[in-house]
């Protein structure tokens, strides 16, 4: 046997891509590849890409441009593009960047080992099918190596909601849920290998309806089953849609001990006129009522959201409605974006907002969110929170972990080990994290 081949994977975009990259690395492990963290000495470079906004998609081409020299120096180097840009642009990628050897979409990457073997030396491999078979069943199971304390686990993929701005229904396909038994097996395996916190992933994770032994399971049923796994301490899930926030899931937030008090629930806009044009099929009012019901079940829950500003035809009044919704909800965290035109989506055809106006709205919205985020973070000072430690901090003797509310927490103490949780009394609140002492 020669030296193992080296695989460099760069991941863009969402947590589902992070999970997919792990699975692709494992699948290519069967072809003799081991991971490397630099492209310079790699035998294969794989970009796992995101198509959600124009900037994300363009990054792929500029990154590929940087590999030209490497490919010229080592013609055996294989270059692949995976993920949502691969799905959306397919062969176009090879036309724009002829050095790309293979292009594989998010629903067909179980075929990657065979494609890798075929591609190279001028032979191209392309697969952007939505195959009938389940890629997770065909992929080699995860190797039994020890893992860090937190892991992602994809349980649902795709989206049937067709928000007017979004490419996901086109790049990831229709909503599909993995069978409950498979998810539970994978979760048990992760826990055996050291994982203490699992984040269930799906583009519409709360629409989960995987086959169970007695009919389809809801996400709440799945969460309750995970709650019974010894050694697993924490359960999270993301991303949820307001329309799929079922009563049993809301109740689980109050009753299920391992389900963490943090919920990412994007609303996108606070204007009913814009929500309608976005095809969101909920109103600002129904979202606020929903948050009230969730807080009634779990009063200390931290709410996170996503917002788009400058959606086509958004007026000053529409934007003020969004600001008012933010004031009404009080977010612990939020991600906000300027609307980005995505070819092929319905909103791409409509009258666009002046980019300067959109910039100004984004600045104002982000200032309000930052203020709320900081106030909630500052209110943790003096409280005791449970922290699951994940890694040493940047300073000597420091350990960093996450609170139940997903705040990063630093302590300077020799006692906590990676993967252990402790009560920490919060003593200060910095721009991006909290600090405290073990109780
Ligand atoms: N422009 C800007 N933001 C978008 N998002 C999705 N599509 C677009 C787009 N075309 C945002 C939404 C979504 C998050 C993942 O990305 O807020 O919730
Ligand atoms: Fe995109 Fe809307 Fe589906 Fe979320 S719910 S993935 S924003 S279409």
């Amino acid at each position: 046997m020669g030296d193992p081949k080296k695989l460099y994977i760069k991941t863009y975009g969402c947590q589902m891509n992070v999970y997919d990259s792990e699975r692709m690395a494992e699948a290519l492990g069967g072809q003799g590849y081991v991971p490397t963290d630099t492209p310079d000495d790699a035998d294969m470079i794989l970009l796992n890409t995101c198509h959600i906004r124009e900037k994300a998609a363009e990054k792929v081409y500029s990154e590929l441009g940087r590999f030209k020299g490497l490919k010229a120096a080592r013609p055996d180097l294989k270059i692949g593009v995976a993920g949502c840009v691969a799905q959306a642009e397919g062969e176009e990628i090879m036309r724009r960047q002829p050095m790309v050897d293979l292009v594989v979409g998010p629903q067909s990457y179980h075929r990657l080992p065979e494609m890798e073997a075929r591609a190279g030396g001028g032979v191209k491999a392309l697969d952007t099918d939505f195959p009938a078979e389940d890629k997770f069943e065909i992929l080699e199971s995860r190797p039994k190596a020890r893992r860090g304390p937190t892991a992602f686990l994809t349980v649902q993929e795709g989206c049937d909601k067709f928000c007017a701005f979004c490419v996901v229904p086109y790049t990831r396909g229709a909503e599909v849920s993995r069978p409950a038994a498979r998810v539970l097996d994978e979760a048990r395996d992760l826990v055996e290998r050291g994982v203490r916190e699992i984040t269930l992933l799906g583009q519409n994770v709360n629409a989960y309806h995987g086959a169970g032994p007695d009919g389809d399971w809801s996400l709440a049923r799945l969460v309750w089953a995970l709650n019974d796994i010894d050694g697993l301490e924490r359960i999270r899930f993301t991303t949820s849609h307001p329309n799929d926030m079922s009563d049993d899931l809301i109740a689980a937030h109050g009753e299920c001990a391992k389900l963490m008090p943090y919920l990412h629930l994007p609303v996108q806009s606070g204007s009913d006129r814009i929500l309608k044009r976005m095809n969101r099929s909920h109103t600002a009012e129904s979202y606020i009522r929903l948050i009230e019901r969730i807080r009634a079940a779990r009063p200390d829950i931290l709410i996170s959201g996503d917002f788009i500003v400058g959606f086509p035809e958004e007026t000053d009044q529409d934007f003020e409605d969004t600001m008012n919704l933010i004031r009404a909800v009080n977010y612990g965290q939020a991600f906000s974006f300027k609307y980005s035109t995505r070819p092929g989506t319905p909103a791409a055809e409509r009258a666009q907002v002046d980019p300067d106006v959109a910039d100004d709205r984004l600045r104002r919205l982000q200032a309000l969110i930052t203020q709320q985020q900081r106030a909630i973070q500052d209110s943790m000072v003096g409280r005791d929170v449970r922290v699951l430690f994940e890694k040493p901090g940047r300073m000597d003797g420091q350990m960093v972990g996450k609170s139940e509310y997903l705040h990063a927490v630093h302590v300077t103490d020799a006692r906590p080990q990676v993967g252990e949780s402790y009560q920490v009394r919060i003593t200060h609140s910095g721009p991006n994290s909290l600090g405290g002492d073990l109780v």
Side-chain angles (χ1 to χ4, degrees):
M1 281 262 301
D3 287 340
K5 294 176 283 182
K6 290 185 181 152
L7 170 68
Y8 172 74
I9 300 192
K10 183 157 180 175
T11 308
Y12 301 83
C14 66
Q15 294 152 324
M16 300 195 58
N17 269 9
V18 175
Y19 178 83
D20 288 341
S21 289
E22 283 174 16
R23 301 298 301 252
M24 285 191 254
E26 287 163 11
L28 288 167
Q31 301 291 104
Y33 281 97
V34 296
T36 175
D37 47 21
T38 152
D40 300 333
D41 64 348
D43 298 286
M44 179 168 181
I45 294 174
L46 194 56
L47 301 183
N48 193 11
T49 62
C50 172
H51 201 245
I52 197 94
R53 283 170 290 274
E54 192 181 356
K55 261 198 199 136
E58 277 308 313
K59 265 191 210 149
V60 178
Y61 289 103
S62 59
E63 187 74 26
L64 285 170
R66 292 177 39 197
F67 298 144
K68 263 201 187 117
L70 288 175
K71 182 83 170 180
R74 285 186 290 123
D76 289 347
L77 168 66
K78 292 180 186 179
I79 298 183
V81 178
C84 292
V85 176
Q87 190 63 45
E89 304 203 343
E91 256 172 288
E92 175 63 21
I93 297 174
M94 292 170 178
R95 261 196 296 275
R96 269 181 78 175
Q97 286 290 0
M99 66 180 169
V100 171
D101 301 289
L102 68 90
V103 170
V104 63
Q107 298 310 349
S108 45
Y109 69 76
H110 53 295
R111 297 173 179 164
L112 195 52
E114 172 273 315
M115 293 173 71
E116 185 278 337
R118 182 156 47 94
V123 178
K124 310 273 181 194
L126 170 88
D127 194 330
T128 51
D129 288 353
F130 287 104
E133 74 265 17
D134 175 359
K135 65 172 177 277
F136 294 119
E137 248 182 88
I138 292 161
L139 282 167
E140 291 187 42
S141 66
R142 295 175 151 209
K144 303 292 169 198
R146 278 304 280 183
R147 304 229 357 167
T150 63
F152 295 132
L153 204 178
T154 293
V155 302
Q156 179 279 334
E157 283 189 281
C159 182
D160 297 337
K161 300 271 190 307
F162 291 93
C163 295
F165 49 81
C166 187
V167 289
V168 165
Y170 312 95
T171 57
R172 291 269 173 171
E175 244 173 49
V176 180
S177 298
R178 295 176 69 191
R182 295 248 155 67
V183 173
L184 292 171
D185 283 346
E186 195 171 326
R188 281 188 213 100
D189 178 61
L190 288 168
V191 171
E192 274 168 30
R193 290 157 53 200
V195 169
R196 297 289 163 261
E197 172 179 308
I198 292 179
T199 303
L200 303 176
L201 298 181
Q203 258 101 27
N204 246 297
V205 73
N206 58 343
Y208 177 84
H209 54 89
D214 48 1
D216 279 3
W217 279 22
S218 66
L219 185 66
R221 285 240 8 223
L222 190 64
V223 165
W224 276 108
L226 286 162
N227 196 58
D228 287 338
I229 297 179
D230 287 338
L232 182 63
E233 281 178 35
R234 295 177 161 191
I235 305 163
R236 305 182 186 276
F237 59 84
T238 197
T239 291
S240 299
H241 192 287
N243 291 3
D244 293 314
M245 214 52 219
S246 57
D247 292 344
D248 59 349
L249 194 56
I250 294 173
H253 273 289
E255 294 162 3
C256 182
K258 294 180 184 175
L259 184 58
M260 291 293 103
Y262 183 101
L263 180 66
H264 184 56
L265 198 63
V267 63
Q268 315 297 353
S269 168
S271 153
D272 288 344
R273 212 178 66 88
I274 293 297
L275 286 169
K276 197 159 193 176
R277 285 170 161 72
M278 286 178 163
N279 192 31
R280 290 287 295 181
S281 57
H282 59 75
T283 63
E285 179 70 17
S286 69
Y287 178 83
I288 290 170
R289 294 287 155 267
L290 176 61
I291 298 288
E292 283 170 359
R293 286 172 54 214
I294 296 163
R295 285 199 170 125
R298 179 79 202 225
D300 62 340
I301 198 163
L302 196 143
I303 302 292
S304 150
D306 286 344
F307 294 91
I308 295 178
V309 301
F311 186 78
E313 300 164 27
E314 184 187 67
T315 63
D316 286 340
Q317 183 55 52
D318 293 321
F319 176 68
E320 291 309 324
D321 290 348
T322 299
M323 295 291 273
N324 285 332
L325 176 139
I326 294 171
R327 289 183 191 105
V329 171
N330 195 22
Y331 285 90
Q333 164 99 58
F335 305 90
S336 47
F337 313 97
K338 210 159 64 150
Y339 170 71
S340 169
T341 308
R342 307 311 291 129
T345 59
E349 313 297 322
R350 304 187 195 149
Q352 307 291 311
V353 168
D354 178 341
D356 292 338
V357 172
D359 278 331
D360 184 57
R361 288 178 188 164
L362 187 63
R363 256 193 307 276
R364 284 183 54 208
L365 185 147
Q366 288 182 337
L368 176 59
I369 294 286
T370 304
Q371 196 187 323
Q372 295 188 339
Q373 196 175 311
R374 269 313 285 271
I376 289 180
Q377 205 189 293
D378 293 349
S379 74
M380 297 285 161
V381 175
R383 284 180 57 183
D384 291 352
V385 297
R386 191 139 194 99
V387 176
L388 173 61
F389 286 95
E390 293 179 12
K391 56 184 183 204
R394 247 179 272 145
M395 284 193 294
D396 236 13
Q398 204 179 45
M399 287 292 288
V400 188
K402 296 271 167 57
S403 77
E404 295 178 307
Y405 308 99
L406 216 51
H407 287 128
V409 180
H410 297 254
V411 300
T412 308
D413 196 303
R415 279 173 287 169
Q417 302 288 306
V418 168
E420 286 181 355
S421 43
Y422 279 85
Q423 289 293 111
V424 174
R425 181 150 308 153
I426 301 302
T427 55
H428 59 274
S429 168
N432 296 307
S433 66
L434 297 167
D437 301 314
L438 297 197
V439 178

